[in-house]
């Protein structure tokens, strides 16, 4: 990897083949460190999903169809059930219940029994709709679309369901799981206070508990004589809503019921459901609802939430993240919240207000310290050069200098406008700065030569003159200008001067001098220089290799705000090297932080990881979206994306096709949607990225 110039964001100074190296080294290590697949062999698994919303002889169940659709999505999209093996019934009649589950007399006549494979099928049975008690026999039954709630014989007995499913469980064998989830109650209530399905009032009626075999795992919305509730916000049954949220990873959260290992163990899910359903029911209706859940040796992968609960999960995670940041109360914690909250960021305003209130206080304190240091020694120019957001003594310093503020000189203003570095600490706060790749060299050289000659002690002008020469590839003159600015203490000039030494541009190549200057600039607060020194030590570019020191410098650079350095720390969380904990989730969080702060290499790397089996570490993120975000970073983003084609782990063809389609719709690509980085597509990526670059 070549060095980064201070203020450079174009292609020439930070080539992207490092992305291929990063992915090639990182992904195999992560594959070895990843946990084994659990509860994932569902190619031959079978499910029955019933959502009974409409009824001929009683009131509807408003969200039952939504429930069925959401569970179907979870089974197919997250558990890997085949679409053809998930039997969805909406508004099922008694005849359809008999056809799918079998009858009391002939339990093996059902479609479910015929469809499962011995030793190869897991089974998931789901029901959302009315549950009703038979007041005479006290037996609960599921109410078909054509059933009468006051006539138990017109329903499908829960005991019959369990007895028939017990035979299915025996067929699939002890190594396979049969889960029954019933989002209904059996009290005779509709879910609305004071409304009953029954002609005869039966307050407090508790139906008998059906007998089940030992192999069936049951999740029932409520036990005893309490009604089931709805999740109005997500338009789902409450148990269904919280189940889908729990398996998306909320049940595994360390600050909740889990251990944060990326897998949802059944005890974690059980604790989560009991806590969340009970609390939500009290908030929503003031009534008790305690789900009845059997124990089971089941482990589920924490997966992306299905669409029905995606916004709800994002909102809960966002709230939890903000509460953690509030609890810690540090600037770093608040910054981490802002940097990682993503599309759902309800507390961004509060976080920004808190952060910048502290920042203004810090800036005022720094300004006071600078005046106390420079004022007594009459170094008024040094004080003005130190000014940032707060410059309380500006007018006094200018007056002491006799009113000759160089910032008011038109020549200085023009040099600043044409060549000021975007991240140069000497840049005046009212000057925007220019990326090196966008400097117009002829005009900038003319302006900065005049300004620097008029004010030779103003070091930023020498640095900006060096940038203008650098942009014109006039390296000897750039070396002279950078040398003068560095001699005067410009850490930005030190970094760029070190790069000329490292590359042998305008001066004889001297790697030792380059490293010395990088270190000097880094100790002066230049985080880009710290990262450049780390890179030289990491790869041993003309100097002895020292990976441990390189990691320490990358860490300092990242802590100081250098975004590309964040990603350099990720591999050590996979290997546990250099004192880093072996924690994939923590490592991958760094990729998200770097991407959220604008690093296109991190964005492209995330996309590749998602496409190679690590999507669970980036919930709510798709590979195609990350690629499109990277392209918004201009040339460097386009190069980062193209570099994935040379990596050991590549983007999937469907991801590339999605990007091809988007670029084609924007009229930059005219080739085939072939899912390949063909030459026409690569050129189109460059053009699209340049045209859509976000500042």
């Amino acid at each position: 990897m070549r060095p980064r110039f201070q203020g450079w964001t174009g292609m020439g100074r930070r080539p992207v083949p490092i992305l291929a190296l990063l992915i090639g080294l990182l992904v195999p290590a992560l594959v070895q460190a990843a946990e084994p697949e659990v509860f994932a062999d569902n190619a031959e698994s079978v499910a029955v999903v019933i959502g009974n919303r409409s009824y001929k002889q009683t009131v509807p169940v408003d969200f039952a169809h939504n429930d069925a659709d959401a569970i179907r999505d979870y089974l197919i999209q997250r558990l890997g059930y085949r679409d053809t093996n998930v039997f969805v019934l909406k508004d099922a009649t008694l005849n359809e219940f008999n056809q799918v589950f079998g009858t009391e007399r002939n339990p093996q006549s059902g479609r479910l029994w015929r469809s499962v494979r011995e030793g190869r099928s897991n089974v998931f049975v789901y029901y959302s709709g009315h549950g009703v008690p038979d007041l005479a026999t006290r037996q609960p039954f599921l109410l078909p679309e054509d059933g009468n709630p006051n006539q138990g014989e017109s329903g499908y007995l829960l005991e019959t369901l369990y007895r028939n499913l017990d035979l299915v469980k025996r067929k699939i064998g002890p190594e396979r799981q049969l889960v029954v989830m019933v989002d209904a109650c059996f009290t005779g209530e509709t879910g609305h206070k004071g409304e009953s399905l029954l002609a005869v009032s039966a307050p407090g009626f508790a139906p008998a508990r059906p007998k089940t075999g030992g192999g069936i795992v049951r999740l029932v919305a409520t036990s005893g004589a309490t009604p089931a509730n709805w999740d109005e916000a997500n338009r789902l049954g409450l148990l269904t809503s919280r189940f889908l949220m729990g398996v998306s990873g909320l049940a595994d959260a360390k600050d909740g019921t889990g251990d944060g290992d990326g897998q949802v163990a059944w005890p974690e899910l059980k604790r989560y459901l009991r806590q969340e359903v009970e609390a939500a029911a009290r908030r929503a209706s003031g009534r008790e609802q305690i789900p009845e859940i059997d124990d089971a040796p089941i482990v589920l992968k924490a997966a992306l939430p299905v669409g029905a609960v995606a916004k709800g999960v994002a909102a809960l995670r966002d709230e939890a993240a903000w509460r953690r940041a509030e609890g810690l109360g540090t600037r770093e914690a608040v910054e981490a919240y802002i940097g990682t909250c993503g599309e759902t960021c309800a507390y961004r305003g509060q976080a920004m207000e808190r952060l910048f209130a502290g920042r203004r206080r810090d800036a005022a304190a720094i300004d006071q310290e600078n005046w106390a240091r420079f004022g007594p020694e009459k170094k008024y120019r040094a004080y003005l050069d130190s000014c940032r957001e707060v410059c309380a003594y500006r007018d006094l310093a200018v007056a002491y200098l006799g009113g000759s503020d160089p910032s008011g000189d038109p020549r200085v203003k023009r040099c600043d406008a044409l060549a000021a570095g975007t991240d140069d600490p000497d840049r005046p706060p009212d000057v925007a700065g220019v990326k090196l790749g966008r400097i117009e060299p002829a005009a900038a050289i003319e302006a900065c030569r005049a300004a620097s000659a008029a004010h030779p002690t103003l070091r930023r002008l020498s640095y900006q003159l060096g940038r203008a020469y650098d942009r014109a590839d006039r390296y000897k003159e750039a070396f002279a200008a950078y040398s003068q600015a560095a001699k005067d203490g410009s850490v930005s000039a030190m970094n760029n001067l070190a790069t000329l030494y490292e590359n042998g541009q305008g001066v004889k190549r001297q790697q030792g001098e380059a490293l010395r200057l990088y270190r000097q600039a880094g100790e002066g607060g230049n985080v880009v220089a710290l990262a450049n020194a780390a890179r030289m030590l990491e790869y041993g570019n003309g100097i002895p290799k020292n990976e441990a020191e390189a990691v320490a410098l990358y860490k300092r650079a990242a802590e100081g705000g250098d975004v590309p350095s964040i990603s350099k720390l990720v591999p050590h969380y996979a290997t546990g090297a250099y004192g880093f904990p072996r924690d994939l989730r923590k490592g991958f969080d760094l990729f998200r932080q770097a991407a959220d702060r604008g690093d296109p290499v991190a964005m492209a790397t995330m996309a590749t990881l998602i496409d190679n089996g690590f999507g669970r570490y980036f919930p709510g993120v798709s590979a195609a979206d990350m690629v499109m975000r990277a392209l918004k970073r201009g040339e460097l983003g386009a190069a980062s994306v193209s570099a994935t084609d040379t990596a050991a782990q590549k983007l999937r063809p469907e991801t590339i096709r999605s990007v091809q389609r988007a670029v084609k719709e924007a009229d930059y690509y005219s080739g085939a949607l072939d899912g390949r980085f063909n030459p026409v597509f690569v050129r189109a990526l460059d053009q699209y990225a340049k045209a859509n670059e976000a500042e």
Side-chain angles (χ1 to χ4, degrees):
M1 181 176 179
R2 289 179 56 195
R4 283 187 290 143
F5 267 51
Q6 185 73 20
W8 177 263
T9 57
M11 280 291 298
R13 304 298 183 193
R14 191 183 173 211
V16 188
I18 186 61
L19 175 65
L21 177 62
L22 177 62
I23 296 173
L25 292 174
L26 179 63
V27 174
L30 295 176
V31 170
Q32 292 176 2
E35 300 86 352
E37 297 290 311
V38 285
F39 202 65
D41 179 16
N42 286 312
E44 299 293 336
S45 295
V46 182
V48 177
V49 178
I50 300 176
N52 272 13
R53 179 186 185 279
S54 301
Y55 288 91
K56 291 181 178 178
Q57 301 186 57
T58 190
V59 296
V61 178
D62 293 337
F63 303 143
H65 286 181
N66 297 350
D67 287 340
D69 290 337
I71 292 294
R72 175 190 175 277
D73 289 346
Y74 172 67
L75 293 169
I76 295 172
Q77 298 172 11
R78 304 296 181 257
L79 289 189
Y81 279 62
R82 293 179 181 173
D83 192 2
T84 53
N85 282 359
V86 179
F87 310 144
V88 179
L89 303 175
K90 292 184 177 179
D91 302 335
T93 63
L94 179 59
N95 185 46
E96 288 175 312
F97 272 89
N98 290 329
Q99 288 177 358
V100 74
F101 295 124
T103 64
E104 184 175 2
R105 291 185 177 181
N106 190 359
Q108 297 179 0
S109 64
R111 183 182 181 189
L112 177 59
W113 165 268
R114 298 193 306 271
S115 300
V116 297
R117 299 290 180 262
E118 295 180 18
R120 304 209 307 264
S121 299
N122 292 315
V123 176
F124 195 100
V125 174
Y126 175 84
Y127 174 80
S128 174
H130 283 312
V132 187
D134 186 323
L135 297 182
T137 66
R138 300 186 69 248
Q139 288 298 321
F141 61 92
L142 306 178
L143 188 63
E145 179 266 352
D146 53 352
N148 186 331
N150 295 290
Q151 297 176 358
E153 66 273 12
S154 69
Y156 195 87
L157 281 174
L158 200 58
E159 188 168 10
T160 300
L161 174 67
Y162 288 148
R163 185 170 60 246
N164 290 3
L165 291 179
D166 187 51
L167 295 176
V168 174
K169 178 64 175 77
R170 294 181 192 178
K171 181 177 180 180
I172 63 177
E175 300 302 319
R176 290 291 177 168
Q177 298 293 337
L178 193 157
V179 179
V180 181
M181 183 173 173
V182 179
D183 200 345
C185 64
F186 298 92
T187 63
E189 297 183 60
T190 66
H192 301 289
K193 279 189 176 180
E195 188 175 60
S196 176
L197 299 171
L198 305 174
V200 178
S201 176
F205 175 83
R209 296 182 64 177
K211 298 176 183 178
T212 62
I216 296 177
V217 181
R218 297 171 308 148
L219 296 91
V220 183
T222 182
S223 56
T226 57
N229 291 272
W230 300 107
D231 178 354
E232 297 284 350
N234 290 303
R235 301 180 64 81
L236 296 168
L238 181 56
L239 176 67
T240 302
S241 166
R242 293 308 185 265
F243 172 82
L244 293 171
M245 288 181 174
V247 295
S248 74
L250 294 187
D252 179 52
K254 280 187 176 180
D255 53 359
T257 59
D259 56 14
D261 66 350
Q263 298 178 4
V264 180
W266 200 260
E268 292 176 329
L269 182 61
K270 183 175 180 178
R271 287 194 298 271
Y272 175 82
L273 289 176
R274 288 181 65 89
Q275 291 177 15
E276 289 296 314
V277 170
E278 189 173 357
R282 286 202 196 102
R283 287 195 304 268
S285 65
R287 300 183 295 185
E288 293 291 329
Q289 180 180 344
I290 303 174
E292 187 175 313
I293 306 169
D294 292 334
D295 293 325
I298 294 176
V299 179
L300 300 166
K301 281 187 177 180
L304 288 177
V306 295
V309 295
K311 290 184 178 178
V313 169
L316 288 173
R317 285 182 169 148
D318 179 58
E319 181 179 5
W322 173 240
R323 298 305 172 211
R324 284 194 297 272
E326 270 194 319
L328 292 170
T330 64
R331 186 190 75 179
E332 291 77 12
V334 177
E335 286 177 343
Y337 168 76
I338 295 171
T340 59
C341 60
E343 293 182 8
T344 301
C345 201
Y347 302 92
R348 181 185 291 273
Q350 295 179 44
M352 294 291 284
E353 183 177 350
R354 175 176 295 191
L355 190 63
F356 283 95
R359 178 175 165 181
R360 284 190 293 272
R361 288 193 298 272
D362 292 345
I366 291 170
D367 180 63
Q368 184 68 37
E369 291 174 4
N370 288 336
W371 179 252
R373 181 170 45 148
F374 296 124
E377 297 182 12
K378 299 181 180 181
K379 295 181 178 179
Y380 306 122
R381 169 55 45 211
Y383 168 75
L384 290 173
D385 288 344
S386 74
C387 281
R388 293 295 173 267
E389 294 176 60
V390 177
C391 195
Y393 301 92
R394 179 188 295 278
D395 292 342
L396 190 58
V398 171
Y400 282 138
L401 287 169
S404 59
D405 180 7
S407 298
D409 188 327
R411 292 168 295 185
V412 173
K413 287 185 175 181
R414 181 163 174 75
C415 178
D416 285 341
L418 292 174
T422 55
D423 44 9
D424 179 20
D426 292 338
R427 174 178 54 83
D430 58 343
V431 174
V434 186
K435 295 179 180 179
L436 186 62
R438 294 188 175 180
I439 290 176
E440 294 292 338
I445 289 171
E446 180 183 0
C448 291
R449 283 176 62 182
S452 182
H455 304 280
T457 61
L458 197 56
R459 68 190 184 196
R460 78 167 186 273
L461 300 178
S462 297
Y463 167 62
Q464 289 166 191
L465 177 60
R467 296 183 83 228
Y469 281 131
D470 195 352
R471 180 70 178 91
D473 295 334
R474 293 166 60 173
Y475 296 120
K476 287 186 177 181
E477 288 131 306
F479 177 83
Y482 284 146
S483 295
Q484 182 59 52
K487 181 180 177 181
D488 292 338
S490 169
V491 292
S492 298
M494 290 177 199
N495 177 78
N496 289 14
L497 186 63
T499 302
L500 295 181
Y501 272 117
E502 186 180 358
N503 292 335
Q505 294 170 314
V507 66
K508 184 179 178 180
R509 193 178 190 204
Q510 298 180 45
Q511 303 296 73
E513 180 65 7
L515 180 61
R516 186 192 70 79
L517 283 167
Y518 283 142
R519 288 184 183 278
Q520 183 179 350
E523 294 304 322
N526 189 298
V527 294
V528 173
L530 281 176
N532 278 330
R535 173 189 43 75
M536 290 191 75
L537 291 165
E538 178 186 8
Y539 296 106
N541 289 351
I543 58 170
K545 191 173 182 179
N546 190 330
E547 293 186 19
E549 187 179 0
V551 172
L553 289 176
Y554 279 133
K555 192 172 182 180
R556 284 180 56 192
E559 290 170 350
D562 184 58
V563 175
S565 291
I566 297 174
S567 298
K568 300 293 291 186
L569 304 176
V570 177
H572 309 305
Y573 284 102
T575 62
Y578 305 114
F580 284 73
R582 192 167 182 176
D583 187 337
L584 296 183
R585 186 173 298 279
K586 190 171 183 179
F588 283 156
D589 281 345
L590 293 181
F591 272 136
R592 185 187 292 277
Q593 290 177 33
D596 286 344
R597 292 170 63 179
D599 183 10
V601 175
M603 297 174 192
T605 305
M606 277 178 62
T608 309
L609 290 170
I610 290 168
D611 273 2
N612 284 273
F614 295 93
R616 66 185 180 278
Y617 291 98
F618 306 105
V621 180
S622 74
D625 288 344
M626 291 309 301
V627 170
M628 296 305 295
R629 280 183 59 188
L631 293 176
K632 293 291 185 181
R633 307 308 298 177
E635 293 176 276
L636 186 55
S640 301
V641 173
S642 297
T644 64
D645 193 39
T646 62
Q649 305 288 332
K650 303 177 184 297
L651 290 172
R652 296 169 65 181
E654 50 264 40
T655 298
I656 300 172
R657 274 193 290 271
S658 296
V659 178
Q660 286 177 327
R661 190 174 296 108
V663 177
K664 192 167 193 172
E665 289 174 354
D667 292 330
Y668 287 93
Y669 177 54
S670 58
L673 303 180
D674 57 3
R676 295 173 53 250
F677 282 98
N678 62 69
V680 176
F681 180 49
V682 172
R683 287 195 298 272
L685 282 180
D686 290 336
Q687 295 168 359
Y688 176 85
K690 289 176 184 177
N692 291 274
E693 180 177 356
E695 290 291 346

